[in-house]
Amino acid sequence: MTKKLIENDLTLAVAQFNPVVGDIEGNLNLALRAHEQASVEGADLLLFTELFISGYPPEDLVLKPSFIETCENALAKLAMATTTGSGIIVGVPICRKGRIYNAAVLLDAGKIVAECLKFDLPNYSEFDEKRVFSAGPRPKPVEFRGVRIGLPICEDIWNDDEVAARLAEKGAEIILVPNGSPYDREKPELRYEVVKKQVLKSSLPIVYANEVGGQDELVFDGGSFALNANGAPAFQMKHFQSELAFSHWQKQNGKWSCVSGPQEKLLHETAADYQACVLGFGDYVNKNRFKSVVLGLSGGIDSALCAAIATDALGPERVHAIMLPYNYTSSQSIKDAEECAKLLGCRYDTVPIAKPVEGFEQALKPLFQGTAADTTEENLQSRARGTILMAISNKFGAMVVTTGNKSEMSVGYATLYGDMNGGFNPIKDIYKMQVYGLSNWRNNHFPANGLGPKAAVIPQNIIDKAPTAELRENQKDEDSLPPYPVLDDILRCLVDEEMSISEIVKRGHPRDLVQKVEHLLYVSEYKRRQSAPGVKISHKNFGRDRRYPITNRFRDKN
């Protein structure tokens, strides 16, 4: 059936949802419910995000013909829903003439009206789309009920400043961009600048629809928005939250402009980072169907912050904290851990590790005869703790939470098969000084949709005391490492900015210290390769963003 043409009024619904990669039926049902609601509320067009049907990023799943077939079958069912109500723009992988494309498909009147294929396939940082997709042609306007729409997909607007201008030259009246844009600290402001540049060059309004939710290490923060043709803000959707939002547009003097829509606020800096950790962690646990989590609560700040994130993401009833004391565990640490668990409201148990550690030492005594105690014995403590946590996981089905921060992971201040045990790490991309910042923020704020207590949850003594692994008498982290403000600055230079030794020395750091940190960074690569995944917060995390060889003799001589 033919739908009535749109003249001067357009109601656009944007579905900023949280699809699950591979759950094609679930994503389809989510889309069908959104279409029903959008139609009831009078929307002319419903815009979904990039590859919504498959979930994003589907990675090598799109190389399976049965996966693509299932996605296209779902697309056909969604098209049938448009015999009445709103039209739909949805992202989906499709196969045409033996090639697989990342597509945005326009559906209306029960059929596929147009297919726009992504032409700029990102192949950097967390993206690897050239591996699995073919590039399509540059987009041309498509017609929806008399309105000519430009449909570039995500990266299509990032590297070519003229994309929107060319669409305008070909008759586009408004540009709608489906996105799967992952979060990092600078990304929200960067998106705005990218879109504004395209708007000012084309004199067309642009709607930027972004996915929300966690997918493995990536977090999509939503924050969908639109700019009017003069570059002024048109609407702003919620940050880190799913929603179906409606905006109303009018055409005057041949130009579309937004006359009403949501006016939400974006989160920034520490608040955004904390929300990203909660969302990424919660989605990893829930989408992988773990019923609960267990973690070692040591009385230190890293495990306390991880417990807070877990509780905010899952609720206290799904978090099990275990104190695993040994001879060097101070009474203050035991007190701090117990108080933290009490503030969080989660289950708390104590499992002493003296007997398991002594058992290992006794078994190894003949082999170790005549040697001095060193980090070997310290690591036995960590490995005993890891084994106990994994046993609890096996017995009760709870995922073990890993609690090492980015500073420790950078320099190898962690024990393989010990404190590195676990399924996911919410602070893997958080440097030590940021751990303090996030902890202080959480004690004074409550995250949106958080399930934990609306009060301070990390005892002040945990924040104030000197960090220590408590693996030997009177141990402090600074016995082995530079002060964390110094270490973190050097690591940011080496990891995030790829700076040379000389450039870092110019910042005031001793050359021998910088070289030592660089060496520790390189020789710890084998540990990081075996570490649990964790939420990506920065533009250069360990894993997707930084792929250094394990076998590596390079050292910077500059």
Side-chain angles (χ1 to χ4, degrees):
M1 61 177 289
T2 303
K3 301 290 182 74
K4 181 181 178 181
L5 295 179
I6 295 169
E7 296 180 352
N8 298 316
D9 292 280
L10 170 68
T11 298
L12 174 68
V14 176
Q16 179 179 285
F17 288 169
N18 188 346
V20 179
V21 168
D23 186 9
I24 299 166
E25 183 178 358
N27 297 338
L28 171 62
N29 289 333
L30 191 59
L32 289 170
R33 290 194 297 271
H35 178 259
E36 182 178 1
Q37 182 181 347
S39 299
V40 167
E41 299 197 30
D44 299 296
L45 182 59
L46 171 59
L47 173 63
F48 288 93
T49 53
E50 183 176 9
L51 294 180
F52 181 84
I53 294 296
S54 62
Y56 185 81
E59 302 186 274
D60 284 12
L61 277 172
V62 300
L63 301 179
K64 294 182 70 67
S66 59
F67 182 80
I68 296 294
E69 182 182 1
T70 306
C71 288
E72 296 210 49
N73 289 340
L75 181 67
K77 292 177 182 177
L78 189 58
M80 288 300 298
T82 64
T83 54
T84 59
S86 310
I88 293 175
I89 293 171
V90 68
V92 61
I94 61 175
C95 184
R96 298 293 179 265
K97 296 181 179 179
R99 293 191 173 189
I100 303 167
Y101 296 98
N102 179 339
V105 179
L106 173 61
L107 310 173
D108 197 29
K111 61 184 180 182
I112 295 175
V113 175
E115 296 174 347
C116 292
L117 311 177
K118 189 172 184 179
F119 73 88
D120 191 350
L121 302 176
N123 203 53
Y124 59 89
S125 188
E126 66 265 27
F127 301 110
D128 201 8
E129 291 195 24
K130 288 183 179 179
R131 172 184 171 83
V132 294
F133 290 116
S134 295
R138 293 185 180 277
K140 298 178 181 179
V142 299
E143 187 166 318
F144 172 73
R145 302 183 191 176
V147 180
R148 291 181 63 76
I149 298 171
L151 269 181
I153 302 170
C154 200
E155 193 78 5
D156 290 348
I157 69 168
W158 281 75
N159 298 316
D160 185 346
D161 294 346
E162 304 298 327
V163 171
R166 279 193 289 269
L167 284 165
E169 289 172 1
K170 294 178 181 179
E173 302 170 61
I174 186 171
I175 294 178
L176 308 181
V177 189
N179 296 272
S181 179
Y183 172 78
D184 67 48
R185 294 183 190 98
E186 292 79 31
K187 191 69 72 64
E189 289 76 14
L190 185 57
R191 291 181 196 126
Y192 182 88
E193 292 304 319
V194 166
V195 172
K196 187 172 183 178
K197 186 181 292 185
Q198 295 282 1
V199 165
L200 296 179
K201 287 204 171 188
S202 64
S203 296
L204 292 181
I206 295 181
V207 177
Y208 187 101
N210 192 33
E211 178 182 341
V212 69
Q215 170 57 30
D216 294 346
E217 293 186 301
L218 300 179
V219 178
F220 300 90
D221 54 318
S224 303
F225 66 98
L227 301 183
N228 277 313
N230 61 359
F235 69 76
Q236 174 65 61
M237 292 172 63
K238 292 177 180 178
H239 209 187
F240 294 102
Q241 296 184 56
S242 296
E243 69 169 330
L244 179 65
F246 295 83
S247 59
H248 303 282
W249 299 73
Q250 288 184 347
K251 189 176 184 180
Q252 296 178 336
N253 301 319
K255 293 282 187 179
W256 287 100
S257 63
C258 183
V259 295
S260 68
Q263 301 296 330
E264 304 290 343
K265 292 186 181 297
L266 293 178
L267 300 178
H268 298 282
E269 298 176 347
T270 305
D273 285 353
Y274 190 88
Q275 196 72 60
C277 289
V278 170
L279 178 59
F281 178 81
D283 271 0
Y284 187 87
V285 173
N286 291 325
K287 289 181 178 180
N288 285 292
R289 296 174 176 167
F290 291 104
K291 61 183 181 180
S292 61
V293 298
V294 60
L295 77 162
L297 195 61
S298 67
I301 194 167
D302 295 327
S303 63
L305 178 59
C306 288
I309 290 169
T311 302
D312 284 332
L314 306 174
E317 69 282 357
R318 297 176 65 190
V319 179
H320 188 182
I322 309 286
M323 162 53 84
L324 299 145
Y326 186 58
N327 302 343
Y328 306 122
T329 305
S330 68
S331 59
Q332 186 62 56
S333 290
I334 294 172
K335 179 181 176 181
D336 289 340
E338 184 175 4
E339 183 184 354
C340 184
K342 187 178 296 183
L343 290 173
L344 288 166
C346 64
R347 179 179 173 181
Y348 176 77
D349 288 298
T350 300
V351 181
I353 66 166
K355 288 184 178 180
V357 172
E358 290 164 5
F360 283 128
E361 290 177 340
Q362 193 62 33
L364 291 165
K365 189 174 182 179
L367 287 175
F368 288 2
Q369 192 76 34
T371 64
D374 53 20
T375 56
T376 305
E377 284 74 17
E378 294 180 13
N379 286 339
L380 283 177
Q381 299 169 48
S382 181
R383 292 188 172 116
R385 291 184 172 110
T387 298
I388 290 169
L389 290 173
M390 289 305 301
I392 294 169
S393 172
N394 291 158
K395 182 63 70 175
F396 301 109
M399 185 196 80
V400 176
V401 180
T402 315
T403 61
N405 62 67
K406 190 173 184 177
S407 304
E408 295 172 349
M409 296 303 300
S410 296
V411 296
Y413 199 69
T415 304
L416 270 175
Y417 325 120
D419 57 318
M420 289 179 65
N421 280 4
F424 198 77
N425 184 350
I427 63 168
K428 184 178 181 179
D429 201 25
I430 304 290
Y431 287 114
K432 186 71 170 190
M433 296 311 297
Q434 292 173 325
V435 169
Y436 286 100
L438 289 172
S439 298
N440 280 309
W441 182 90
R442 177 58 182 88
N443 273 357
N444 292 285
H445 300 85
F446 184 67
N449 296 332
L451 301 177
K454 295 182 179 181
V457 293
I458 299 177
Q460 191 60 42
N461 191 65
I462 289 180
I463 296 173
D464 291 341
K465 67 184 178 183
T468 171
E470 293 191 321
L471 296 176
R472 61 178 180 269
E473 199 72 47
N474 298 318
Q475 182 188 35
K476 298 291 184 290
D477 287 5
E478 288 187 14
D479 296 342
S480 307
L481 301 172
Y484 279 113
V486 174
L487 178 62
D488 285 0
D489 188 63
I490 295 173
L491 288 172
R492 284 178 188 276
C493 295
L494 288 169
V495 177
D496 297 40
E497 305 304 328
E498 299 284 6
M499 291 170 62
S500 69
I501 298 293
S502 296
E503 288 174 315
I504 302 171
V505 170
K506 288 178 182 177
R507 295 171 65 89
H509 300 295
R511 178 175 290 273
D512 60 343
L513 177 60
V514 177
Q515 290 174 327
K516 176 185 176 182
V517 173
E518 181 204 45
H519 177 72
L520 291 172
L521 175 68
Y522 284 166
V523 299
S524 300
E525 185 64 36
Y526 79 100
K527 286 188 178 182
R528 290 190 292 271
R529 290 288 183 93
Q530 300 178 68
S531 65
V535 179
K536 171 180 159 61
I537 296 296
S538 70
H539 71 274
K540 185 67 74 74
N541 78 328
F542 291 123
R544 286 178 172 270
D545 295 339
R546 188 179 184 279
R547 306 179 191 184
Y548 269 61
I550 296 174
T551 305
N552 171 23
R553 291 188 181 180
F554 175 78
R555 297 295 182 269
D556 192 349
K557 303 299 183 183
N558 296 325

